[in-house]
Amino acid sequence: MLGGYRAVKDRVRVVIAEDSVLLREGLTRLLTDLGHDVVAGVGDAEALIKTVDELASQGELPDVVVADVRMPPTHTDEGVRAAVRLRKDYPDIGVLVLSQYVEERYATELLAGSSRGVGYLLKDRVAEVREFVDAVVRVAGGGTALDPEVVAQLLGRSRKQDVLAGLTPREREVLGLMAEGRTNSAVARQLVVSDGAVEKHVSNIFLKLGLSPSDGDHRRVLAVLTYLNT
Amino acid sequence: MATEYARQTGDQWAPDDRPRRRHVLPPALRAPVEARTWREFGYLMLGLPVSVLFFVFAVTMTSLGMGLLITFLGVPVLAACLAGCRGFGAVERARARGMLKLDVADPAPVRAKPDGGPMSWMLAMLRSGTSWRHLLYAVLHLPWAVFAFSVSLVLWSYGWAMLTYPLWQWVFPVYAGVDGIQLYGDGTHHIYLDEAGELAVTSAFGLLLTLATPWVVRGLVTVDRVLVTGLLGPSRLATRVSELESDRGVVVDTAAADLRRIERDLHDGAQARLVALAMDLGLAKEKLAHDPQAAARMVDEAHGEVKIALQELRDLARGIHPAVLTDRGLDAALSAVASRCTVPVRVEVDLPARPAPAIEGIAYFTVSELLQNVSKHARASRATVDVWQTADRLMLQVGDDGQGGADPTAGSGLAGLAERLDAVDGVLVVDSPAGGPTTVTAELPWRG
């Protein structure tokens, strides 16, 4: 059942950075249970960067880093800053940031430049085990995973409200799921419609927003986000 | 109980407790050669020239300014006069600080509108009462400085001269054709102080003068102290305002720090636990179909975690405000706190009525923080909590038989506690010698 979601790789190599031991252990168990490798678990941002540097020097770069936003010593946004740095130093690593609260500003910082291999999720999402692991795998494979709340904030904050108002409710739904980083088939599964129907919605959305339709999922997300952000 | 408090804090504050050099001479004989006397005498000597300069400057500039007031030119001259007086005031304050050990705070600077230009600065200078008080000081201080200068110089020089008179008489029996000090002379009769008895009396009189001079000097500088404090310091209102401002700052900071602490506690505690719980249950749901045993184990773990999360939430809520404090008062609330301490605690609350709710709250948090310190740091085997009322103050004392060495100045929780108490005009006294025992006493107003 889970196999269908592993489009990118069967075993994803993960580094976890989370200061709460309870959650770190929980995440490790969850990912291991579902057949992935947790190569390291650390408690703060500095240790995260050091660990990834070490792994890189051994030629064993992880596929994805899962990091908490708030970590010692200042308990503010260490995780985001470390993630931005890792994205710059190692463009091949996927970075998934977990946060107790959703701040669209953090997402914008993370997405700055490229939406390749990046994720920003509310911590609560780990409760939906399969969706969470799906997001980890997607980010590891260079995809995007944005929390629905971030997408809602982006949609609500966008200055293009009049254009967005021109979308049908179904199209808005599809736009939201697209912005979360889902593929057409994932959107179709979520909405319980056919792939063809989703494709039709997508091309309608691109037409209404005045964007040129692009084939790749990631470039598509980027286009949507850029559109919403400006 | 109140006497016990007096005894315990009295020990700490008694000046005899401090190590101090032993002197052979009693203070009355020591006074003429003490450094303090020389400093004060120097202050009076220096006072005259400074005061003359200050007076001349102030009077000249004021008359000039007043005279010119019929044209616009008077305004800048007067403003410059007042600014100069403030400058002199700074000199006088520095002099008092250095020589009299009298620390008078600088008054608030003149507040002109930031973009108002020189005109608004001049008007602000003229409107400021502090500036005019400095001018008044310049005028009042000169006559006083002349008087104090003359009296102290005359007393001091006559005292020492007469005290050492026998020496002079011995070295120069006849000086410039006269046989010593002439007491009386009318052309035919001359009385000189030149016999042994007369020399002794003169010297004794000189000794008396020398011994008395320090006390006279002390009296004279007292007037100077009053003048400097009253006319060159910040006004009483300004002082109180700045006190209250700093208190309010503490209150605001404390409130903000409390909110941050609560947020942190929630984030690290209950919230993290609930996320882990959700994760466990999510995993259990996944396992339910093909591995029911593992699922059951996970549900079991999740059940344990939800209980811990509940406990944490309860503790947190109690940390924000314990319900029992509102319902039943300090006695009941403190008993509950004591029961959570790691060592046995004897609690005695002797209050005829309930203090103001805010005071009750602060007293509660003070005791719980102190008992937390006992649990964490003291290595004590038992502790005591006493709460009682004296006049219009609420007193509380927490003691333990632990290792002592608690230092309220070392940026510890005690410093924060002292600050918090200070914001409501309370006091915290820590007595914790290395090796113990530790006694912390807090005093709060009955009604905040």
Side-chain angles (χ1 to χ4, degrees):
Chain A
M1 181 120 185
L2 284 164
Y5 289 86
R6 291 185 206 147
V8 186
K9 225 178 184 185
D10 266 0
R11 282 175 87 85
V12 168
R13 302 179 66 250
V14 191
V15 171
I16 297 174
E18 158 69 63
D19 61 322
S20 159
V21 179
L22 194 69
L23 287 185
R24 193 162 71 224
E25 297 301 318
L27 283 171
T28 307
R29 188 168 67 174
L30 192 151
L31 287 165
T32 316
D33 257 31
L34 295 192
H36 299 287
D37 279 341
V38 175
V39 288
V42 295
D44 62 78
E46 214 174 288
L48 169 64
I49 289 178
K50 220 178 99 194
T51 307
V52 174
D53 283 345
E54 271 168 19
L55 287 170
S57 69
Q58 293 159 12
E60 291 175 3
L61 210 58
D63 298 314
V64 61
V65 165
V66 177
D68 187 9
V69 169
R70 278 181 23 162
M71 281 187 287
T74 63
H75 292 276
T76 50
D77 62 343
E78 287 86 356
V80 173
R81 278 185 277 134
V84 169
R85 178 152 161 218
L86 286 177
R87 262 166 72 68
K88 206 173 85 217
D89 292 353
Y90 306 103
D92 290 342
I93 302 187
V95 172
L96 175 60
V97 172
L98 293 181
S99 174
Q100 199 72 260
Y101 317 100
V102 154
E103 300 293 348
E104 166 257 313
R105 183 59 49 85
Y106 291 160
T108 313
E109 279 173 28
L110 278 170
L111 290 166
S114 136
S115 65
R116 220 197 97 77
V118 66
Y120 182 82
L121 291 179
L122 208 56
K123 252 185 199 172
D124 305 6
R125 305 295 172 214
V126 299
E128 291 305 320
V129 175
R130 262 192 290 170
E131 280 195 32
F132 173 70
V133 175
D134 178 33
V136 172
V137 173
R138 201 162 69 222
V139 171
T144 313
L146 280 190
D147 199 274
E149 278 201 30
V150 178
V151 174
Q153 279 191 22
L154 283 170
L155 285 172
R157 209 188 62 125
S158 176
R159 269 170 281 164
K160 312 242 166 90
Q161 291 302 332
D162 45 340
V163 184
L164 290 177
L167 301 179
T168 65
R170 193 53 148 187
E171 282 163 356
R172 285 185 66 105
E173 240 176 312
V174 172
L175 177 66
L177 289 169
M178 225 159 64
E180 283 173 31
R182 289 169 202 258
T183 59
N184 276 1
S185 49
V187 174
R189 260 199 307 275
Q190 179 84 18
L191 299 179
V192 202
V193 293
S194 71
D195 285 14
V198 172
E199 268 161 39
K200 199 160 156 276
H201 285 308
V202 170
S203 60
N204 271 342
I205 292 167
F206 273 68
L207 200 66
K208 285 185 183 173
L209 302 188
L211 296 169
S212 58
S214 50
D215 37 348
D217 289 333
H218 318 314
R219 277 168 59 201
R220 190 174 72 166
V221 173
L222 189 61
V224 171
L225 293 175
T226 314
Y227 173 80
L228 292 174
N229 245 331
T230 47
Chain B
M1 204 48 73
T3 49
E4 192 183 359
Y5 164 69
R7 182 173 54 74
Q8 293 191 357
T9 56
D11 283 350
Q12 273 181 325
W13 282 345
D16 306 308
D17 228 27
R18 292 186 212 135
R20 144 185 293 213
R21 261 189 312 153
R22 284 193 166 274
H23 287 284
V24 190
L25 291 172
L29 292 180
R30 217 163 50 229
V33 290
E34 259 183 351
R36 175 182 172 180
T37 307
W38 290 95
R39 275 203 319 266
E40 290 176 348
F41 183 68
Y43 179 83
L44 292 179
M45 292 300 103
L46 204 56
L48 183 65
V50 173
S51 193
V52 168
L53 284 178
F54 196 174
F55 181 85
V56 169
F57 170 83
V59 168
T60 314
M61 292 292 276
T62 311
S63 344
L64 189 65
M66 291 292 182
L68 285 174
L69 260 190
I70 43 169
T71 71
F72 171 72
L73 259 186
V75 176
V77 171
L78 271 183
C81 167
L82 293 177
C85 286
R86 275 171 168 261
F88 270 108
V91 172
E92 284 292 86
R93 280 193 300 275
R95 222 158 58 80
R97 202 169 296 132
M99 305 179 84
L100 299 185
K101 306 287 171 208
L102 171 69
D103 208 358
V104 176
D106 292 340
V110 175
R111 251 182 245 172
K113 282 178 206 149
D115 51 347
M119 190 61 208
S120 96
W121 177 81
M122 282 187 273
L123 287 178
M125 183 59 90
L126 291 179
R127 264 202 305 269
S128 124
T130 309
S131 307
W132 293 99
R133 280 193 290 129
H134 279 64
L135 180 63
L136 185 62
Y137 177 88
V139 177
L140 287 183
H141 192 245
L142 180 69
W144 174 251
V146 172
F147 174 75
F149 177 88
S150 324
V151 169
S152 53
L153 185 61
V154 166
L155 276 180
W156 185 82
S157 40
Y158 265 83
W160 284 103
M162 288 167 86
L163 178 63
T164 54
Y165 183 61
L167 194 66
W168 284 100
Q169 192 62 28
W170 175 61
V171 178
F172 302 111
V174 177
Y175 186 74
V178 289
D179 310 332
I181 296 177
Q182 188 186 38
L183 269 192
Y184 177 78
D186 60 357
T188 52
H189 271 77
H190 298 280
I191 302 176
Y192 291 106
L193 298 176
D194 51 1
E195 283 164 22
E198 288 169 357
L199 290 185
V201 170
T202 310
S203 188
F205 192 65
L207 179 66
L208 277 182
L209 273 187
T210 308
L211 290 180
T213 307
W215 306 105
V216 175
V217 166
R218 203 151 294 175
L220 291 172
V221 296
T222 304
V223 176
D224 275 286
R225 284 167 184 276
V226 171
L227 280 175
V228 173
T229 315
L231 293 176
L232 301 183
S235 69
R236 201 175 303 171
L237 193 63
T239 311
R240 183 65 184 149
V241 165
S242 79
E243 257 176 42
L244 289 176
E245 267 175 0
S246 103
D247 282 356
R248 189 190 54 180
V250 169
V251 171
V252 171
D253 288 351
T254 313
D258 281 348
L259 283 179
R260 268 201 307 279
R261 182 180 56 78
I262 292 167
E263 196 266 351
R264 272 287 295 282
D265 285 354
L266 273 174
H267 176 265
D268 296 347
Q271 230 171 8
R273 210 164 278 288
L274 285 174
V275 171
L277 176 66
M279 203 153 56
D280 278 355
L281 287 176
L283 212 51
K285 209 168 75 182
E286 289 292 320
K287 298 251 174 186
L288 213 50
H290 59 273
D291 190 356
Q293 266 184 341
R297 203 179 59 240
M298 280 174 180
V299 168
D300 198 41
E301 277 173 31
H303 184 228
E305 278 188 3
V306 88
K307 283 192 282 192
I308 301 176
L310 275 175
Q311 169 76 34
E312 276 175 357
L313 277 177
R314 196 162 47 229
D315 286 349
L316 186 66
R318 187 160 44 202
I320 296 167
H321 191 91
V324 68
L325 180 61
T326 322
D327 299 343
R328 297 280 182 273
L330 272 175
D331 197 352
L334 291 184
S335 301
V337 175
S339 68
R340 288 199 299 277
C341 190
T342 52
V343 299
V345 184
R346 177 186 59 76
V347 180
E348 262 179 42
V349 179
D350 177 21
L351 295 177
R354 290 183 63 174
I359 296 302
E360 225 172 28
I362 293 174
Y364 172 83
F365 286 112
T366 306
V367 172
S368 31
E369 198 142 334
L370 290 173
L371 283 183
Q372 263 179 37
N373 283 350
V374 171
S375 299
K376 277 189 216 156
H377 310 299
R379 297 191 194 162
S381 63
R382 62 201 161 79
T384 57
V385 174
D386 291 296
V387 183
W388 71 100
Q389 187 193 11
T390 55
D392 59 344
R393 307 292 273 182
L394 172 67
M395 312 293 302
L396 49 96
Q397 194 167 61
V398 175
D400 69 72
D401 60 351
Q403 60 183 358
D407 184 4
T409 58
S412 59
L414 282 175
L417 212 51
E419 224 171 40
R420 206 179 277 209
L421 288 175
D422 190 46
V424 292
D425 284 329
V427 185
L428 187 79
V429 180
V430 179
D431 177 24
S432 182
T438 301
T439 312
V440 181
T441 312
E443 190 188 310
L444 287 160
W446 187 256
R447 300 219 162 269

